[in-house]
Amino acid sequence: MKLSVNDAVRRRATGAALAALVLGGGVVGCSKGAGEESPALTPAAAVAKAAKKTEDITSLHYRMKGEVPGEGRISGEAAMSMKPLAMSMKMTAKDQATDGPVEIRLVGKAMYIGGGLKAAKEMDGKSWIKFDLAALGADKELNTDQLGGGQTDKNPATESTFLTGSKNVKKVGTETVGGVRTTHYKGTIPLDAFRKSLKSQDKATREKREKALDQYTKMGIDAITMDMWIDGADHTKQFRMRGTADKGPLDMTVTFLDFNKPVTVTAPPAKDTVDLAGMMKNARQG
């Protein structure tokens, strides 16, 4: 197997990872409850209450669709568990030459990228490439806010708190999203101001939100316009984030399907998998 094959597969993995990197959202809404908030609950208070609900999340299942700077249009579906840490995602990059969805799995301290039939032809019939995060030294940052050592997905619950950093949150109206009655809120978040406001938060909350902010500031985004749809149980059912990055526009919508339900992710068969760490070791020895 040629080392160039590794490079080709890594390019496919990187494209999917970058698309996944910008995913954000909140706690998925349940199917019960009306969309109208209490008359005494202001838009800012409603958003803060939904952000508080993120602390109870143990798992998420969601769909995403939109445009990623430098990557183009993407769509996909993902499920993730915080404890134990696991994730499964299928992503389609509509503006890239691929032979179908790219699948990403995180199992223990290993991340797997499935490239489909095209990858199998390039890798002697093996359609998966394994990134052993421990062997590659990336597992030190492996937590719910930096899945895959920062290469795949962020914890979607954290991004849902961003709207609390807006000084102009307003109620747009009531809408039905995925069969659930919700209240639609909207606001603009200047990222520098939001980061400064985090100094008043406790250490754990501050560090979690600062890590989530980093991915956007590194993209060159100064401010985010955010729409959030909150259900009658004060959960975020859907969100949309828009901004202007160095490499183009960001416009991502995430709709949550369920939360706090079991998520089981299994590793692909060993016979279908190429171990990147082993490949790199063999290349060095060769």
Side-chain angles (χ1 to χ4, degrees), residues 246-274:
D246 294 337
K247 294 184 179 180
L250 164 70
D251 188 346
M252 182 63 60
T253 298
V254 175
T255 304
F256 291 85
L257 307 178
D258 60 49
F259 73 110
N260 292 349
K261 292 187 178 181
V263 173
T264 301
V265 183
T266 58
K271 64 181 181 62
D272 298 329
T273 303
V274 172

Side-chain angles (χ1 to χ4, degrees), residues 70-98:
E71 298 298 322
R73 296 171 300 159
I74 64 99
S75 63
E77 186 168 334
M80 58 181 288
S81 169
M82 285 65 168
K83 292 183 179 181
L85 187 60
M87 185 269 291
S88 175
M89 175 184 294
K90 288 186 178 180
M91 182 77 66
T92 299
K94 298 182 179 180
D95 295 326
Q96 297 185 23
T98 62

